[in-house]
Structures are given as C-alpha cells and as structure tokens.
Amino acid sequence: MADRREKDGKTKRKKICFFTENKIKNIDYKDDKLLRKFVNERGKIVSRKISGTSAVYQRELAIAIKRARHLALLPFVAENMR
Amino acid sequence: MAKPYETVIVVDAMIPDEAITSEIDAVAKLIESQGKMIKLDRWGKRKLAYTIRKRTHGEYAVFYYESESENGLSAELDKRFRINENILRWLTIADNPVGVPADKLPESEGGAPVEVERSERSDRSDRSDRSERFDRSDRPRRGDD
C-alpha cells in the first residue's frame, strides 16, 4: 500500500490494520463491541480506506457485521450511533 | 466426524421467564440427543438494535456443541426454530474457530466457518416504523419530476 504514497504528495495516511496489529486471527460476529468500531454513525460499514483494515480482514469483518445485524446486535440503519 | 457448531438464538423477552428457560432447555435437550453440548452461554436480556415483530428486547443464548453432520441436527433445529414463535432469530455456524471459549476445538481445522442455518428476516411489518424516521418531503427532487 506504499505504492501511491510517494508519488501523490498529498496522501499521507498510514493507518495500520487493527487486526494484524493486534494479532487477532478470527473476528467474532458476536462481539458487537469490537464490531462497532468499524461501523459509522449511521451504522454503515466503514471502508478500508478509512479504517485501514487489510483486505483479508475487511472481508471477514463485513461478514461478521452482517451476521451481527441479523441477530439484532447491530442495526442496519441508525441515525445516532456515537 | 464430529463437527463443532454454535447456534445463537434470540428469544422474545416478553414471554415469562420460566417460558424462556423452558425454551432454552428444550433446545439444549434436542442438542444433547443428537450431539454433545460443550457450553451454553446465556447472555440474558438485551436491547435489540432494531425492533423485531414489534419487540424491543430479546433473550440471547449461545449453544456450543458438536455433532456428526449426518445426524441432521442442524436441519432439525432449524425446523423447530422456524415453528416456534417465541424464537425470533437464530443462526447456526459450523467450524467456527472463534467462539467456544476455553479451547475445545475438536481437531477439525476445516478452515473457514460455514454458516449452516439462519432465520428468515422478512418481517416487513416492522419496516413501517422505518419510513417515519425522516421527513420524506425534504428529499431533493430529481430532474425528472
């Protein structure tokens, strides 16, 4: 992900993947506290660009969030989360 | 080959406590009949993130167990849950390396967890309170109206 960095001159973000950083191997759809960190005020899943999550984990994350939504642990739409 | 499973159910919190317990016990019994229960995790009453059939709270319970896939336990559970009106949501996952607190992963490193059964989620009746949420009249007009 360093390819763009130098050439751009404008992009300066260097967010690291929360999951690789904390060495978490599997994402639990039951852990709404963790999942909430990756969802915005409207309840929408945050993009990788913003959260800095790596591709592999983002996919798992999305699945986990969707399951949590199914179990009403997370909302589908919200107006106020934060 | 015994596979590890986990099933989460959400029971209607409006029914009396004894009824909730009996529902959960009935599920546990069914699991025990066709497999082996590893752990039962009751989370108790929780506020739902959105209303389900007009209810605002649910009792959550997670069952960790293992069973032979040929037993058809998952299908049987699903059938029961579907019929039972007190169970609002359920989700059964097989081979989930997460969950099952305190070890006990019976060697079946089958890799990716597989979602086995989940409840349907078509209670459009509850969608009605969603449309009241914002005032539609201040939606920007499109070019073609």
Side-chain angles (χ1 to χ4, degrees):
Chain A
M1 219 169 309
D3 29 350
R4 275 290 179 83
R5 263 207 305 191
E6 284 85 67
K7 299 198 192 146
D8 218 26
K10 286 194 271 183
T11 355
K12 67 147 180 133
R13 14 160 283 105
K14 46 166 82 173
K15 300 250 326 175
I16 14 172
C17 171
F18 177 88
F19 301 99
T20 41
E21 189 60 20
N22 291 276
K23 302 236 194 303
I24 300 178
K25 263 186 281 170
N26 300 286
I27 306 181
D28 187 10
Y29 61 94
K30 302 189 284 299
D31 185 355
D32 66 305
K33 217 163 86 167
L34 200 229
L35 262 26
R36 251 171 242 270
K37 295 196 206 181
F38 297 90
V39 142
N40 72 5
E41 327 75 53
R42 293 301 221 114
K44 295 159 92 159
I45 301 179
V46 173
S47 71
R48 275 187 61 202
K49 224 187 323 183
I50 309 292
S51 66
T53 306
S54 73
V56 177
Y57 284 113
Q58 180 74 0
R59 287 193 289 271
E60 267 188 49
L61 218 212
I63 293 177
I65 290 176
K66 292 173 189 176
R67 286 190 185 149
R69 285 176 174 166
H70 173 76
L71 293 171
L73 296 167
L74 285 179
F76 284 92
V77 186
E79 290 147 358
N80 63 331
M81 299 190 66
R82 269 321 169 247
Chain B
M1 263 287 297
K3 257 195 218 172
Y5 288 92
E6 59 183 64
T7 296
V8 187
I9 63 170
V10 186
V11 188
D12 184 355
M14 305 253 276
I15 68 180
D17 292 345
E18 313 86 55
I20 295 179
T21 308
S22 81
E23 295 287 6
I24 295 182
D25 288 343
V27 175
K29 195 151 143 221
L30 177 51
I31 290 177
E32 273 298 332
S33 76
Q34 299 250 23
K36 192 170 87 150
M37 178 84 105
I38 299 176
K39 181 163 193 236
L40 201 217
D41 213 348
R42 273 189 78 162
W43 295 359
K45 193 152 128 168
R46 259 188 84 129
K47 182 151 161 39
L48 301 175
Y50 48 89
T51 62
I52 298 181
R53 292 205 226 137
K54 311 290 193 274
R55 272 72 161 178
T56 51
H57 292 76
E59 278 269 343
Y60 284 76
V62 188
F63 300 84
Y64 298 97
Y65 55 99
E66 49 180 37
S67 170
E68 305 290 327
S69 41
E70 310 87 52
N71 286 351
L73 217 206
S74 306
E76 184 60 38
L77 282 172
D78 184 66
K79 201 166 99 170
R80 298 284 183 94
F81 294 151
R82 213 178 284 271
I83 296 175
N84 190 332
E85 291 183 351
N86 291 321
I87 296 183
L88 309 170
R89 289 281 196 269
W90 68 92
L91 181 61
T92 302
I93 307 255
D95 289 325
N96 194 3
V98 189
V100 190
D103 86 289
K104 209 17 168 113
L105 282 191
E107 282 324 313
S108 54
E109 278 302 319
V114 180
E115 200 172 285
V116 185
E117 302 282 2
R118 60 150 74 187
S119 44
E120 285 123 22
R121 205 170 53 215
S122 59
D123 34 2
R124 306 224 133 220
S125 52
D126 279 30
R127 294 280 171 99
S128 53
D129 54 328
R130 181 163 291 160
S131 46
E132 314 295 296
R133 202 164 287 198
F134 48 88
D135 186 358
R136 284 234 146 94
S137 60
D138 45 268
R139 194 155 253 196
R141 322 222 66 198
R142 301 188 336 187
D144 56 321
D145 5 320

